[in-house]
Amino acid sequence: MNATSESGRVVPMRLQKFLARAGVASRRGSEDLMTAGRVTVNGAVVTELGAKVDPAVDEVRVDGMSVTLADEPVYLALNKPPGVVTTMDDPHGRPTVAGLVPTSEHPGLFPVGRLDQDTTGLLLFTTDGELGHRLLHPRHKVPKTYQVTVDGRLTEPELDRLREGIQLDDGPTAPAKAVLVSAGPTSKATITIREGRKRQVRRMFSAIGHPVLSLHRVSFGPVEIDALEEGSVRPLTAEEVRDLRNATGLD
Ligand code: URA
């Protein structure tokens, strides 16, 4: 990470970058906080966008609340089993993804987006607020690939409708990549979308008359699930983190 020296110590960085890495807001949002006069460094209001801070010595506050950088950010991949809810705390007491990742070792760990309760596969977790938010922002159009099993005999002309973009009740979808894997009484396909609307893949296949029977995410941007076992977690490699950062315009 470019704000970390070889010794591992965090070195001076621009104030808006510090705020974004601390998860206060995006870099742009942090700049707005600064120009609005809501950010102080060592007690003095700082509105100048070029200002730098040394996280080891400077005391940064937003609206009077102290802001600190967490330890080195953590990045994990989970192969989510079916029946588990993507939330860190479920008021109905259902099994959640929080029970599958090391939350007590990494306070502030959160899932990057969500998978439906019955969807399986790759779910990323991080403590890095800035990257997490960027990965979900529609502007960055990060591709996500799913293996889908649907009811009924799926045809290429039907998949063409998804490739072109299809009307859903919350608007048209962007063009998707779709590959027919097998067709029969039930059919299999892979689909890659660059959006992340609620139950989007399920709604897209329902719109062409093929309700989804099972849905499994195999990749999120440059990260692939490969041989990760169901219910297991692994740390992302430095290369995967770098590629995720590049995919969202960081570094
Ligand atoms: N699309 C869906 O419909 N469900 C998911 O869980 C993910 C993508």
Side-chain angles (χ1 to χ4, degrees):
M1 236 105 301
N2 63 355
T4 307
S5 71
E6 277 171 21
S7 67
R9 179 178 171 277
V10 179
V11 296
M13 66 176 92
R14 285 179 176 243
L15 181 51
Q16 59 267 45
K17 184 171 185 174
F18 171 91
L19 293 170
R21 272 196 56 185
V24 170
S26 65
R27 262 187 226 189
R28 189 60 239 290
S30 299
E31 291 176 358
D32 291 344
L33 291 171
M34 291 167 65
T35 50
R38 294 169 60 186
V39 183
T40 59
V41 177
N42 303 326
V45 172
V46 175
T47 55
E48 186 207 328
L49 296 181
K52 289 198 166 183
V53 286
D54 183 341
V57 292
D58 292 322
E59 191 204 39
V60 179
R61 289 179 181 265
V62 175
D63 295 335
M65 305 267 287
S66 176
V67 177
T68 51
L69 285 188
D71 295 336
E72 274 302 285
V74 173
Y75 305 92
L76 304 174
L78 166 72
N79 183 350
K80 180 189 159 314
V84 176
V85 187
T86 307
T87 172
M88 297 308 269
D89 181 27
D90 184 53
H92 307 294
R94 295 172 294 184
T96 72
V97 292
L100 299 171
V101 292
T103 43
S104 50
E105 285 157 47
H106 305 295
L109 198 62
F110 67 91
V112 178
R114 60 189 298 280
L115 292 175
D116 299 334
Q117 188 168 1
D118 289 331
T119 302
T120 56
L122 182 60
L123 184 62
L124 301 182
F125 284 79
T126 185
T127 53
D128 179 342
E130 181 179 33
L131 182 61
H133 291 126
R134 279 177 175 247
L135 287 170
L136 296 177
H137 197 290
R139 175 166 32 122
H140 299 298
K141 300 188 172 59
V142 178
K144 279 124 340 207
T145 300
Y146 298 84
Q147 292 171 341
V148 194
T149 305
V150 299
D151 194 24
R153 184 176 294 276
L154 194 57
T155 65
E156 289 288 352
E158 287 168 338
L159 282 185
D160 281 343
R161 296 178 62 200
L162 304 185
R163 294 178 180 126
E164 285 154 17
I166 193 163
Q167 187 66 38
L168 298 180
D169 53 13
D170 54 355
T173 61
K177 237 169 90 178
V179 177
L180 185 57
V181 175
S182 66
T186 65
S187 305
K188 290 185 189 299
T190 62
I191 184 157
T192 303
I193 60 171
R194 290 173 177 268
E195 304 163 283
R197 296 193 234 159
K198 212 166 175 214
R199 300 180 72 80
Q200 182 167 340
V201 174
R202 292 175 195 274
R203 290 190 292 135
M204 287 168 72
F205 280 93
S206 286
I208 58 168
H210 293 283
V212 167
L213 301 176
S214 74
L215 188 57
H216 180 71
R217 183 154 72 191
V218 291
S219 70
F220 191 118
V223 182
E224 301 198 348
I225 197 160
D226 289 333
L228 187 64
E229 276 180 32
E230 193 170 279
S232 294
V233 181
R234 70 164 172 88
L236 298 193
T237 64
E239 191 180 32
E240 286 171 325
V241 175
R242 185 199 62 206
D243 291 348
L244 282 172
R245 292 177 67 80
N246 288 339
T248 63
L250 286 168
D251 300 339

